Amino acid sequence: MRAKDGTIIYVGKAKNLSDRVKQYFQESNLYSRGWKLPSLLPLIAKIDYVTTASERDALVLEEKLIKEYQPFFNSLGKDGKSYPYLKITMGEDYPRLQLTRRVVRGKDLYFGPYPKSSIVKGLMRFLWKSKYAPLRPCKWAFSREKPLDPRKINTCIYYHTGQCPAPCAGKISYENYREIAERLADFLDGHFGNITERITALMHRHAEKWEYEQAAVYRNFLHALDHMRERVIVGRFKDDKITTAMQNTDKLKRLAQVIGSRRLPAHIEAFDNSHLFGREAVGCMVCYINGEKNHEHYRRFKIRSKLPEKGGSDFAMMEESVYRRLRQLKRDPSQIPDLILLDGGKSQISAAMNAFDRAGLYIPFISLAETHEGIYLPGAAESIKLPIGDPALNLLMEIRDEVHRFAITYHRKLRNKAELTGHQKQEGLIDGKDPAGRDL
């Protein structure tokens, strides 16, 4: 939240940003939080927001921004503390597992950060008690070259109770102890194997026997795994990255306003075709999420429709590409975009409508005409023309140019392959034969 002069006065995070912001402006909440809310509201001139990959990501980014900008209305997060990491001291001959708030480059391995430290502490206890990763809990410094004083070993309660593998006393070899540490590192890196299924089965088994305390232990362990599965990418967020994310948000808000959408088009898929007089006809789709390219969702389609001889049909090719993508989305609804963008004008709008009718699935869509950069909406008689430099138009043109590049690249690849194959046939070099019919 910014004041009129652009100063950041408050930073917060929410799973549902709309509901969270509404709470600030409800009269019933106005005086329920003391002096801060009535003082904050009159000063808000603009609200910027950044979409993150997970709740854990949002928590870490919130902490980073509060520490950096020290907003007046944030009371928590201004101190020097940061979210903790799990550290395996691989620089030692006999590593330990520790919770730390400082990351120091070296041989030690760090995992995190973990905003909910209580969950991680519970996970550490479980891994220790279950003997899945019983690394030594002591703080003694020793190695293979400098063994630990036997008097210190005799005073160790973990050694006498058998809770520690006791590498200091030679109960476990150096190689076997390092294997335990490496297995734990692999686990903390997200390679859980089938442990989730085994723990779930144990939880249900104890619950059926009314052993709810033990079942709760396994339940908490599963919660910790879910917390660890969330990948934190905020570590790569630099100032320019945050600025770009906010600019992308402004573009998406402007686009939603232009096309009359009540929902922010955070996930956009764009379609285009390419061919040479109907030969090597292809359709392609690119994906943008939160204003950024998402290469994993790019798709390519070899056109199967029968096209006119010595010519193509952009209408038929667009309909086929969109229809085939819609069939994929019906199998995996989690990937359904907020908006579809077509490269073209009114004819592409009609092609998409045919594809939606055939697939039995409708997604909001628009088209962008390259000739005059007009935005066509379904059913609209005229296109929407935005001034050059408009944030929404800039975003649409960027996406349109990207799908155009992707389609041409794929078409050229197939065309070059076809030309090479044709040349080989002419020379008799196909199917492993030379012009005389002899094996090559």
Side-chain angles (χ1 to χ4, degrees), residues 421-440:
T421 303
H423 174 72
Q424 289 177 332
K425 285 182 178 179
Q426 290 179 358
E427 298 294 330
L429 298 176
I430 209 72
D431 296 329
K433 304 288 183 180
D434 67 7
R438 293 170 298 192
D439 290 333
L440 295 175

Side-chain angles (χ1 to χ4, degrees), residues 198-256:
R198 289 192 282 119
I199 295 299
T200 302
L202 287 170
M203 179 182 69
H204 290 313
R205 191 181 307 163
H206 284 284
E208 289 170 358
K209 296 179 180 179
W210 295 5
E211 298 170 352
Y212 296 119
E213 288 187 9
Q214 188 59 39
V217 171
Y218 293 123
R219 178 204 61 200
N220 294 340
F221 178 80
L222 293 173
H223 286 171
L225 288 187
D226 289 337
H227 187 52
M228 294 178 65
R229 277 195 181 97
E230 294 180 353
R231 292 294 180 186
V232 173
I233 62 172
V234 170
R236 299 195 296 271
F237 268 66
K238 306 299 182 184
D239 290 342
D240 58 340
K241 184 73 174 178
I242 295 173
T243 300
T244 300
M246 290 181 176
Q247 290 173 347
N248 288 340
T249 299
D250 288 338
K251 292 178 184 178
L252 293 171
K253 286 192 290 186
R254 171 60 177 158
L255 178 58

Side-chain angles (χ1 to χ4, degrees), residues 142-155:
F142 62 94
S143 64
R144 288 176 293 175
E145 294 181 357
K146 295 182 179 180
L148 187 62
D149 187 333
R151 290 175 297 180
K152 292 180 179 178
I153 298 175
N154 291 331
T155 61

